[in-house]
């Protein structure tokens, strides 16, 4: 039923669910039935003995009140008055014996007529001779029996004898065994019904658990947890009522939720979207949500069980991180393009030098080499001396060629000096910001006969100040603040994200960005961000 690998042979294989559940339920039911049977047996034994005793007492009292018994005790045992009555009562009630004695313990009746006139055997007779009813278990001339003693009184209420009724203990135990047998049949029926209930319960549970065993479920849960926590994307799930049921570490980091804090404090726009998806059952793809100053790219899908929506789950990632990665890739591509372009130019220069050598025009060769070296110093050499980060240097070199192709001059100020940094986030933000500002300037000056973009980068005391200016058409003063709003653009639909992302990333680093502009004259952006320099530059 599952793709889980079987447990290694060196590890003890856990019991299956049906075996474990059967053993547990059987042990519980068996223990309960055993206790019930013990209590029932004790109660049956006591109730049966009490019933037998009451029956015997009733027979003895009836005989003690019989006039013939009283009259017989006035005669001798050989008068044969009491013996027939006692024998008839013994046979009628299936008793072991019915014995009547006088005050000296002499028998007037007995199943064995040879014992008539002899003294009664047993030390349990004296209390009855004193007028007390008593019950005992004792052995006499016949067998061990339950013996009941009742005094006999004459008409003047003077005790004249004792009636003793004996019931065989074997018959008592036989009656108790019959009662216990009924209990056994009841317990066996209970076991049968319990077995059927266990079988049905196991089948229902197996169907609910998709046929998985407990150890397979635990293994799947551990794998699921490891998978969720290893994802670079945030994962957040809610149930049908909108309560958060799952959140991984990455989601907590993106949503700024410390470990152990309630997940209901997550981004309200994100939770609202998930609740709506769980109610409508309609998935949402690549939706952008703003959270804690970040732009999240979210996918939300409903979670269904048996074609019923039971919740929703969202995977999301910080879009600023994706944008930073794209800007970094753009910088590297521009750097490679610039190197490729310079490679072609260098090969062309080598061909010129070779041709001048063949022509022995050494004066022109010297002039050409000096001019080439000067161009290198004013182009690549200047950038490499002022910008120590190879990524930013390659990026600027690419932008210079891009501006040159657009008929615009991109000038790097003489005061520029940027130390290298190991903080990739700061490099990515700088590339994103400069890329957006330079591209916006190029777009603004499109169609102009000529134009110039000025760039000043200055590091001091852990902060990097950037100024990007252009002599384009400028920005209307009433629109200066709106240009940083997401979706605001004068270039058409699906634009207006660059400056929004740039400002968002700058603020996340703890920096700021401002703009000044005079329509028809200039536009100038000022950027101030922290910069973790690897060297101390005055």
């Amino acid at each position: 039923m599952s793709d889980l690998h079987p447990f290694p042979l060196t590890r003890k294989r856990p019991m299956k669910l049906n075996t474990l559940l059967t053993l547990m339920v059987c042990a519980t039911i068996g223990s309960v039935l055993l206790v019930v049977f013990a209590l029932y047996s004790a109660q049956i034994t006591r109730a049966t003995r009490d019933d037998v005793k009451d029956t015997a007492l009733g027979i003895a009292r009836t005989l003690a009140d019989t006039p013939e018994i009283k009259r017989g005790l006035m005669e001798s045992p050989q008068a044969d008055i009491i013996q027939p009555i006692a024998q008839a009562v013994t046979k009628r009630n299936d008793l072991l014996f019915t014995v009547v004695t006088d005050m000296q313990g002499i028998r007037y009746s007995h199943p064995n007529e040879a014992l008539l006139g002899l003294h009664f055997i047993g030390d349990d007779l004296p209390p009855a001779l004193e007028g007390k009813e008593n019950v005992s278990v004792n052995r006499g001339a016949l067998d061990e029996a339950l013996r009941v003693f009742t005094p006999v009184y004459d008409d003047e209420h003077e005790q004249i004898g004792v009636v003793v009724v004996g019931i065989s203990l074997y018959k008592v135990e036989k009656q108790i065994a019959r009662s216990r047998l009924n209990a056994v049949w009841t317990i066996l029926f209970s076991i049968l019904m319990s077995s059927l209930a266990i079988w049905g319960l196991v089948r229902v549970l197996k169907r609910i658990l998709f046929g998985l065993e407990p150890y397979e479920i635990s293994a799947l849960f551990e794998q699921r947890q490891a998978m969720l926590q290893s994802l670079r994307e945030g994962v957040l799930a809610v149930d049908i009522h909108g309560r958060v049921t799952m959140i991984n570490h990455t989601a907590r980091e993106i949503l700024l939720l410390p470990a152990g804090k309630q997940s209901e404090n997550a981004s309200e726009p994100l939770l609202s979207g998930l609740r709506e998806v769980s109610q409508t059952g309609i998935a949402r793809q690549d939706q952008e949500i703003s959270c804690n100053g970040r732009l999240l790219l979210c996918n939300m899908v409903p979670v269904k069980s048996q074609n019923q929506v039971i919740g929703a789950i969202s995977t999301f990632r910080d879009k600023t991180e994706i944008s930073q990665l794209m800007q970094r890739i753009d910088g590297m591509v521009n750097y490679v393009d610039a190197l490729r372009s310079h490679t072609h130019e260098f090969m062309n220069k080598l061909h010129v030098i070779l041709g001048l050598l063949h022509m022995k025009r050494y004066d022109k060769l010297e002039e050409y080499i000096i001019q080439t070296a000067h161009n290198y110093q004013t182009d690549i050499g200047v950038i490499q001396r002022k910008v120590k980060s190879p990524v930013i240097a390659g990026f600027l070199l690419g932008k210079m060629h891009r501006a040159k192709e657009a008929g615009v001059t991109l000038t790097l100020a003489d005061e520029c000096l940027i130390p290298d940094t190991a903080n990739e986030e700061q490099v990515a933000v700088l590339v994103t910001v400069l890329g957006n500002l330079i591209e916006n300037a190029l777009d603004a000056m499109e169609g102009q006969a000529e134009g110039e973009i000025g760039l000043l980068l200055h590091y001091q005391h852990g902060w990097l100040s950037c100024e990007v200016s252009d002599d384009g058409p400028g920005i209307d003063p009433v629109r200066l603040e709106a240009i940083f709003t997401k979706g605001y653009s004068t270039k058409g639909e699906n634009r207006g994200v660059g400056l929004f992302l740039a400002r968002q990333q700058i603020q996340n680093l703890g920096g700021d960005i401002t703009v000044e502009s005079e329509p028809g004259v200039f536009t100038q952006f000022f950027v101030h961000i922290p910069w973790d320099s690897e060297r101390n530059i005055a």
Side-chain angles (χ1 to χ4, degrees), residues 308-438:
Q308 294 291 326
V309 178
I310 60 173
I313 188 168
S314 171
T315 59
F316 52 90
R317 191 162 187 170
D318 191 349
K319 189 175 180 180
T320 55
E321 181 181 344
I322 300 175
S323 301
Q324 290 173 358
L325 182 61
M326 293 300 297
Q327 292 292 342
R328 191 171 182 84
I329 293 175
D330 282 343
M332 297 304 295
V333 170
N334 291 332
Y335 187 65
V336 171
D337 289 341
L339 289 178
R340 185 182 296 113
S341 175
H342 279 279
T343 299
H344 288 295
E345 292 181 7
F346 181 71
M347 292 301 296
N348 293 332
K349 288 179 173 61
L350 287 179
H351 291 151
V352 172
I353 292 172
L354 182 61
L356 291 174
L357 282 174
H358 284 307
M359 295 171 61
K360 298 183 180 181
R361 297 294 303 272
Y362 301 117
D363 54 339
K364 291 294 183 180
L365 177 60
E366 181 181 4
E367 182 182 343
Y368 182 76
I369 292 175
I370 292 174
Q371 181 64 35
T372 300
H374 176 73
N375 290 339
Y376 172 81
Q377 292 297 326
T378 57
D379 191 358
I380 300 176
V382 171
I383 293 179
Q384 289 183 340
R385 286 197 308 271
K386 295 181 178 181
V387 181
K388 302 304 179 181
S389 171
V391 175
I392 299 176
F395 165 77
L396 292 178
L397 189 59
K399 287 299 180 183
M400 283 182 174
H401 283 278
R402 163 89 170 85
K404 187 176 181 181
E405 292 173 356
V408 177
T409 302
L410 176 59
T411 305
L412 194 62
D414 294 337
E415 307 88 64
C416 287
L417 196 56
I418 309 176
D420 198 3
T421 178
N423 192 322
E424 294 187 3
E425 183 180 5
Q426 293 175 350
V427 173
V429 170
L430 182 60
V431 169
T432 300
V433 173
L434 293 181
N436 279 294
L437 295 180
I438 292 173

Side-chain angles (χ1 to χ4, degrees), residues 239-250:
D239 59 15
I240 192 64
H241 303 292
R243 295 187 295 262
V244 176
T245 58
M246 180 187 65
I247 182 170
N248 67 346
H249 293 325
T250 305

Side-chain angles (χ1 to χ4, degrees), residues 187-203:
I187 290 176
L188 290 177
F189 178 76
S190 301
I191 292 175
L192 176 61
M193 297 305 296
S194 300
S195 301
L196 293 175
I198 294 171
W199 178 78
L201 178 62
V202 169
R203 286 182 60 86

Side-chain angles (χ1 to χ4, degrees), residues 192-250:
L192 176 61
M193 297 305 296
S194 300
S195 301
L196 293 175
I198 294 171
W199 178 78
L201 178 62
V202 169
R203 286 182 60 86
V204 171
L205 288 178
K206 292 288 283 186
R207 185 169 60 252
I208 293 174
L209 300 177
F210 302 102
L212 296 175
E213 299 295 336
Y215 68 89
E216 292 178 321
I217 296 173
S218 62
L220 282 174
F221 178 78
E222 292 172 357
Q223 292 176 2
R224 168 183 172 273
Q225 289 297 105
M227 178 185 66
L228 286 175
Q229 304 309 335
S230 65
L231 289 176
R232 291 292 305 276
E233 288 77 14
V235 181
L236 183 67
V238 300
D239 59 15
I240 192 64
H241 303 292
R243 295 187 295 262
V244 176
T245 58
M246 180 187 65
I247 182 170
N248 67 346
H249 293 325
T250 305

Side-chain angles (χ1 to χ4, degrees), residues 40 44 48 52 94 170-185:
Y40 183 75
I44 286 296
T48 302
V52 170
D94 195 22
Y170 172 75
K171 292 183 179 180
V172 175
E173 294 299 331
K174 188 176 180 180
Q175 186 172 348
I176 293 174
R178 283 197 301 269
S179 300
R180 288 177 177 171
L181 183 61
N182 294 332
V184 169
W185 283 112

Side-chain angles (χ1 to χ4, degrees), residues 52-213:
V52 170
K53 181 188 71 173
D54 292 340
T55 300
L57 277 174
I59 296 172
R61 288 169 181 169
T62 301
L63 286 175
D65 292 337
T66 303
E68 285 78 5
I69 299 298
K70 295 179 181 180
R71 182 169 60 83
L73 286 173
M74 299 300 178
E75 306 293 335
S76 66
Q78 288 75 25
D80 201 24
I81 298 174
I82 297 177
Q83 177 69 2
I85 299 174
Q87 290 295 91
V89 171
T90 300
K91 185 177 180 180
R92 177 76 176 178
N93 295 281
D94 195 22
L95 303 175
L96 180 61
F97 61 82
T98 303
V99 176
V100 179
T101 70
D102 58 11
M103 295 303 294
Q104 285 74 40
I106 302 302
R107 298 188 185 95
Y108 277 68
S109 65
H110 196 277
N112 187 356
E113 295 183 357
L115 299 178
L116 292 176
L118 300 180
H119 197 278
F120 185 84
I121 300 174
D123 56 358
D124 44 3
L125 178 63
L129 295 176
E130 296 175 1
K132 300 176 181 177
E133 287 186 341
N134 71 305
V135 181
S136 67
V137 176
N138 208 339
R139 177 180 288 274
L142 298 177
D143 197 2
E144 189 174 20
L146 176 70
R147 307 202 291 192
V148 176
F149 298 83
T150 299
V152 180
Y153 297 93
D154 59 11
D155 295 337
E156 285 75 21
H157 202 67
E158 291 290 336
Q159 185 175 357
I160 58 176
V162 175
V163 174
V164 184
V165 174
I167 300 176
S168 174
L169 284 183
Y170 172 75
K171 292 183 179 180
V172 175
E173 294 299 331
K174 188 176 180 180
Q175 186 172 348
I176 293 174
R178 283 197 301 269
S179 300
R180 288 177 177 171
L181 183 61
N182 294 332
V184 169
W185 283 112
T186 303
I187 290 176
L188 290 177
F189 178 76
S190 301
I191 292 175
L192 176 61
M193 297 305 296
S194 300
S195 301
L196 293 175
I198 294 171
W199 178 78
L201 178 62
V202 169
R203 286 182 60 86
V204 171
L205 288 178
K206 292 288 283 186
R207 185 169 60 252
I208 293 174
L209 300 177
F210 302 102
L212 296 175
E213 299 295 336

